[in-house]
Amino acid sequence: MPKTSARLLSLLSLLQVRRDWPGALLAERLDISPRTVRRDVDRLRELGYPILSTKGPDGGYRLDIGTELPPLLFDDGQAVALAVALQIATTTGAGIEEAAARALNTVRQVMPARLRRRVDTLQVTAVERPTARPNPQVDSGVLMTLGTAVHAREVLRIDYASASPPEVDDNGAQTPPRRVEPHHLVTWGGRWYLVAWDLDRDDWRTFRADRITPRTPTGPRFTPRELPGGNVAAFVTSRFRGSDGSGDWPCRGEVILDLPAATVSRHTREGIVEELGPDRCRLVLGSWSWPGLAATIGRFDADIEVIGPAELKAAFARLARRYADAATDGPSTLTTPPSGR
């Protein structure tokens, strides 16, 4: 029989794997008697592990939710995955950078030498794409409150600091908090957003989490509505692409490039590429503006044939004038076509 300490760790590891364990099965897996299982369960309870006894023909045990976080056991893969995740936690914008660093140090200290070497050789430096404005940090308490309301399906009352000045009524008082049904907490481009049904505006809204101040208590429970598009990914993508609700880019064009389809596909995230020959393909792509779309297509070092629409051809002509001016000391003789925007 293994020593008591090793046996307790084995028992704890088994209890973390599945929800319910029959006592007889635990005894068989640990190669001990059911009476020893009962004594070991009592020892784990004394150490703070909330283990419940389950009723039934065989009787059994369940590791329940407690008021404090007891020590946990991880297998090798889980420990390495946790260490890597903690290294990149600084890019979440959730305000947990210091806590993640302390947690990583704690996990590393108790790792076996073989795992510590694996983690130390995988040093991850998380570098975010540079932007004109840094992504705002969100208070982790706010994220927890929003996530809890999403899980519980409870109406939230929130104060929302929009980019425009706060609305006031005729008496000069600010408008009351907004009432929303929270459905999803998502990240997009390094920022956190709450996808919710706005009860006062009777429509779907996407709120920036860093501008939300939750009110307490929460409201009544609600029955979830169906998101437009069928899932949260399609909904959020459509909201950030355009304002017409179609889920598509405001500007979409079609061209033929003298490049292999495989080459174009590697550098096109959301475009549709169709092979027309060994060194020729059709590309359908979208963007916020026609000049922006033309500039994106122009980055391919190849001859371009514009299929349509006319706005895209006009945007290419406009960029041609700008590039010609940039290559000479003075303005070119080309006339300026309409922007097509």
Side-chain angles (χ1 to χ4, degrees):
M1 181 182 298
K3 293 182 178 180
T4 302
S5 56
R7 198 175 63 243
L8 290 178
L9 290 176
S10 298
L11 174 59
L12 178 60
S13 180
L14 289 175
L15 290 171
Q16 291 179 171
V17 171
R18 52 186 280 182
R19 180 171 176 81
D20 293 298
W21 278 95
L25 182 57
L26 280 176
E28 179 183 345
R29 293 289 294 270
L30 295 171
D31 194 21
I32 56 179
S33 67
R35 181 180 178 183
T36 303
V37 171
R38 290 194 295 270
R39 288 203 304 262
D40 287 349
V41 166
D42 289 337
R43 291 189 179 99
L44 287 176
R45 286 169 175 163
E46 292 173 359
L47 294 173
Y49 292 95
I51 301 175
L52 300 181
S53 298
T54 58
K55 297 181 179 180
D58 299 327
Y61 303 96
R62 173 190 304 166
L63 185 60
D64 199 26
I65 299 172
T67 58
E68 296 181 354
L69 182 65
L72 303 176
L73 292 178
F74 298 100
D75 60 31
D76 289 5
Q78 290 174 325
V80 173
L82 179 61
V84 173
L86 289 171
Q87 288 189 55
I88 62 176
T90 56
T91 63
T92 63
I96 59 173
E97 292 81 359
E98 182 181 349
R102 289 189 286 107
L104 177 59
N105 184 63
T106 300
V107 171
R108 186 184 177 280
Q109 289 294 327
V110 298
M111 277 185 171
R114 66 180 189 281
L115 295 184
R116 191 180 305 118
R117 284 193 295 269
R118 290 177 59 185
V119 171
D120 290 345
T121 57
L122 185 61
Q123 291 297 323
V124 180
T125 301
V127 179
E128 293 188 81
R129 180 181 301 176
T131 58
R133 294 176 298 176
N135 290 328
Q137 295 292 305
V138 185
D139 185 271
S140 58
V142 171
L143 291 180
M144 291 297 297
T145 300
L146 298 180
T148 300
V150 169
H151 180 74
R153 302 300 186 193
E154 294 177 341
V155 173
L156 268 177
R157 295 182 304 127
I158 62 172
D159 293 321
Y160 190 65
S162 62
S164 56
E167 300 178 4
V168 296
D169 58 23
D170 295 337
N171 298 322
Q174 292 190 6
T175 54
R178 300 173 73 162
R179 300 178 304 116
V180 301
E181 296 177 352
H183 281 256
H184 294 275
L185 189 61
V186 302
T187 60
W188 176 282
R191 290 180 175 175
W192 290 83
Y193 295 88
L194 176 69
V195 176
W197 175 264
D198 193 318
L199 292 169
D200 299 315
R201 290 159 176 79
D202 198 31
D203 194 10
W204 290 99
R205 290 291 189 271
T206 305
F207 301 95
R208 276 179 46 176
D210 60 292
R211 295 177 175 174
I212 293 177
T213 302
R215 294 281 193 100
T216 55
T218 55
R221 295 176 62 87
F222 63 89
T223 301
R225 305 169 190 263
E226 184 176 353
L227 271 171
N231 60 73
V232 66
F235 173 79
V236 173
T237 300
S238 67
R239 285 300 171 107
F240 281 98
R241 278 182 177 175
S243 58
D244 59 357
S246 66
D248 201 359
W249 293 105
C251 304
R252 181 174 287 273
E254 180 180 345
V255 300
I256 293 178
L257 299 174
D258 288 343
L259 281 175
T263 300
V264 176
S265 297
R266 287 197 299 266
H267 303 284
T268 304
R269 294 184 59 186
E270 296 183 344
I272 301 173
V273 184
E274 177 188 357
E275 184 177 6
L276 301 179
D279 298 303
R280 191 172 171 82
C281 69
R282 186 192 314 273
L283 172 64
V284 179
L285 194 63
S287 182
W288 283 101
S289 68
W290 295 113
L293 178 57
T296 299
I297 297 173
R299 66 190 174 92
F300 293 102
D301 187 14
D303 291 336
I304 303 169
E305 177 186 347
V306 179
I307 304 301
E311 291 86 349
L312 180 56
K313 287 189 175 183
F316 272 111
R318 182 180 184 185
L319 291 183
R321 173 183 170 83
R322 288 178 177 172
Y323 294 154
D325 288 346
T328 62
D329 295 332
S332 69
T333 57
L334 294 176
T335 57
T336 303
S339 66
R341 295 189 65 178

